[in-house]
Amino acid sequence: MILWLIDQQLNRINAIENLSSLVITKRYSEVSEFKLHLPMTKEHLKLIQNNELILGNILVKSGEKTGYLIEEISPNFQREASEIVIKGRDLRAYLERRILLGNQHYKDTPQNLIRKWLDESIINPVDPVRKMKQFKIGSILETNNSINIETNYQNLLELISLVCKEFQLGFEVQLDLINRELIFISYTGKDRGSEQQTNSPAIFSQSFENILQQTIVLNGIDAKTTAILEYEREEKNYMLEVTDGTSDISRREIYVDAKTIGKPSAENPISIEEQQALVKQKGNETLLQYSFIQSMEADVVTNGNLRYQQDFDLGDKITVLVNELDFKLETRIECVEEVYEESGLEVRLTFGNKIPTLVDKIKRKGK
């Protein structure tokens, strides 16, 4: 494997061929991560000394468009097996460097909103110092769906990720080294489930010998089925409910303070219907963050009957069978972990939604 070093002007500056291991954790609607271990050789030290292997530069596998931003470099000096550990995220991390200015109410399709947000924050911002000159907008998946949403100085990456999750979209920032551009695109994975007849199905099961080991997680500890939202209009408070219809003992409620959502003003007069639509959207976003967990992690056979990036890929809808439990899961591949070592490539897939980490929980409670 060859990893190319790219500088911040998107010039190819050097290559890395001697590596100990590389782990890339690819995510569909969230930023991906990588961790690279390099042996402590004179060549690798020289890359650091020559300001080529530095924070802010980019790593990209030969022949690929997905680049990875170097965000941490840690040389570890030991008597034996000294190494350089490098960490970072894919180029969607650039979007985290901007916020969407002001308090705005939007009602539009996800593709139009994403284009507008990118244009206002990165492509053609009012303040030219906010412009990212190399960014371009590429193909954006067209849908007929519409969304009501209110923004208040939100982080651009979090906002785009939120919208993509709600509509089950993936997005990328791709490298175009010929034109020295960063291209934003959105897409949806192929439907390869057993219930459809358009694409060749991708069915994972130990009985098909394409899964080495698997772990299933069903979790409802933090799950909520009903958001009870309090909003304010004309100095009076009102309650509004967003629910999936679950009742009786299975109903799980959460209170959401939405008193700042859609408040009309002289500068921003909106109807009661428009305000309620914004409040409902806040409820939908909350329930999305507190959903039931149905997840599976599996180490797959890379040379089995299903080939990675040919028969299945990140974002595809697939079918998982667990015969021992009479369990069938029609779901999307939300995360792919690629592990490159001397023994070859190992692939670990995560199907379904993930259990929130402590950091995730802190973030959502702070919103």
Side-chain angles (χ1 to χ4, degrees):
M1 178 196 304
I2 297 177
L3 291 175
W4 288 100
L5 271 168
I6 312 297
D7 66 17
Q8 297 182 51
Q9 288 71 47
L10 305 187
N11 299 302
R12 194 179 311 212
I13 54 176
N14 218 321
I16 298 174
E17 299 185 56
N18 179 19
L19 56 91
S20 302
S21 70
L22 170 64
V23 178
I24 301 176
T25 305
K26 296 182 176 180
R27 295 190 173 89
Y28 184 53
S29 303
E30 297 180 353
V31 69
S32 302
E33 303 162 354
F34 81 94
K35 186 175 184 180
L36 173 64
H37 290 257
L38 299 177
M40 188 77 74
T41 64
K42 292 181 180 179
E43 290 77 14
H44 292 154
L45 286 173
K46 190 175 180 180
L47 291 176
I48 297 176
Q49 293 164 354
N50 291 344
N51 289 325
E52 295 177 333
L53 183 54
I54 58 172
L55 299 179
N57 277 356
I58 297 167
L59 288 168
V60 60
K61 288 166 56 182
S62 182
E64 293 199 355
K65 295 181 180 180
T66 302
Y68 295 89
L69 193 62
I70 298 173
E71 297 179 302
E72 180 179 320
I73 301 174
S74 178
N76 299 322
F77 296 93
Q78 304 175 19
R79 289 187 177 182
E80 297 180 2
S82 295
E83 64 175 2
I84 304 170
V85 180
I86 303 163
K87 299 179 184 178
R89 297 175 292 170
D90 73 78
L91 300 184
R92 286 176 287 187
Y94 280 129
L95 303 178
E96 193 180 56
R97 300 182 179 186
R98 294 290 184 272
I99 59 173
L100 199 65
L101 299 178
N103 189 311
Q104 300 289 335
H105 166 212
Y106 299 96
K107 182 182 180 181
D108 211 332
T109 61
Q111 63 268 20
N112 287 345
L113 290 180
I114 289 172
R115 287 192 185 99
K116 183 175 181 62
W117 293 338
L118 289 171
D119 191 67
E120 291 178 356
S121 305
I122 289 177
I123 309 295
N124 293 300
V126 174
D127 187 345
V129 301
R130 304 183 71 223
K131 182 181 179 70
M132 294 186 184
K133 298 178 182 178
Q134 292 158 320
F135 254 85
K136 305 292 180 184
I137 300 177
S139 60
I140 304 288
L141 187 72
E142 300 290 327
T143 75
N144 295 322
N145 298 311
S146 181
I147 183 173
N148 268 282
I149 191 168
E150 187 173 73
T151 63
N152 185 20
Y153 294 92
Q154 284 177 267
N155 182 270
L156 181 62
L157 174 62
E158 291 181 1
L159 195 56
I160 291 177
S161 180
L162 174 68
V163 171
C164 286
K165 284 180 184 178
E166 181 157 344
F167 291 97
Q168 296 190 35
L169 302 175
F171 67 103
E172 295 181 0
V173 174
Q174 297 182 340
L175 273 172
D176 180 349
L177 293 178
I178 295 176
N179 297 303
R180 296 179 186 171
E181 292 177 343
L182 299 167
I183 314 295
F184 180 98
I185 69 164
S186 74
Y187 69 100
T188 185
K190 292 182 179 180
D191 188 348
R192 298 183 180 274
S194 60
E195 304 297 326
Q196 56 80 42
Q197 298 179 344
T198 304
N199 302 304
S200 57
I203 303 174
F204 290 88
S205 171
Q206 285 189 324
S207 62
F208 293 163
E209 298 184 347
N210 53 23
I211 289 182
L212 294 172
Q213 60 181 13
Q214 58 193 17
T215 302
I216 303 169
V217 176
L218 305 175
N219 186 302
I221 293 176
D222 290 332
K224 307 297 179 186
T225 66
T226 302
I228 298 174
L229 301 104
E230 184 177 13
Y231 68 100
E232 182 180 311
R233 187 174 181 88
E234 296 177 352
E235 299 183 356
K236 293 183 179 180
N237 289 0
Y238 300 89
M239 307 303 292
L240 187 149
E241 181 178 291
V242 176
T243 180
D244 66 0
T246 304
S247 62
D248 199 16
I249 199 170
S250 297
R251 177 178 165 105
R252 301 170 179 230
E253 299 175 346
I254 183 171
Y255 167 80
V256 181
D257 185 347
K259 291 191 288 292
T260 62
I261 302 296
K263 289 181 65 175
S265 63
E267 299 79 19
N268 184 34
I270 67 173
S271 68
I272 181 65
E273 292 80 13
E274 289 175 319
Q275 183 178 10
Q276 288 177 341
L278 290 171
V279 174
K280 288 179 181 178
Q281 175 61 30
K282 179 65 174 178
N284 290 329
E285 293 172 9
T286 301
L287 293 182
L288 188 66
Q289 294 172 346
Y290 289 88
S291 58
F292 284 89
I293 305 299
Q294 184 170 270
S295 177
M296 176 186 293
E297 291 186 357
D299 294 339
V300 303
V301 179
T302 55
N303 59 350
N305 67 321
L306 297 175
R307 299 299 180 104
Y308 176 47
Q309 295 182 322
Q310 295 180 27
D311 302 309
F312 67 93
D313 205 348
L314 178 67
D316 288 352
K317 287 185 177 179
I318 52 83
T319 299
V320 183
L321 301 177
V322 183
N323 296 329
E324 295 84 352
L325 300 176
D326 194 23
F327 181 82
K328 180 179 179 180
L329 181 64
E330 299 280 344
T331 187
R332 191 179 297 280
I333 302 175
E334 295 288 348
C335 177
V336 177
E337 185 177 84
E338 301 174 355
V339 181
Y340 298 89
E341 294 180 325
E342 291 183 2
S343 57
L345 169 65
E346 294 182 7
V347 176
R348 178 172 293 114
L349 305 181
T350 300
F351 311 110
N353 51 347
K354 66 174 183 176
I355 296 178
T357 64
L358 177 60
V359 173
D360 294 328
K361 292 181 179 181
I362 292 172
K363 281 184 177 180
R364 71 188 184 190
K365 287 183 182 297
K367 292 182 179 179

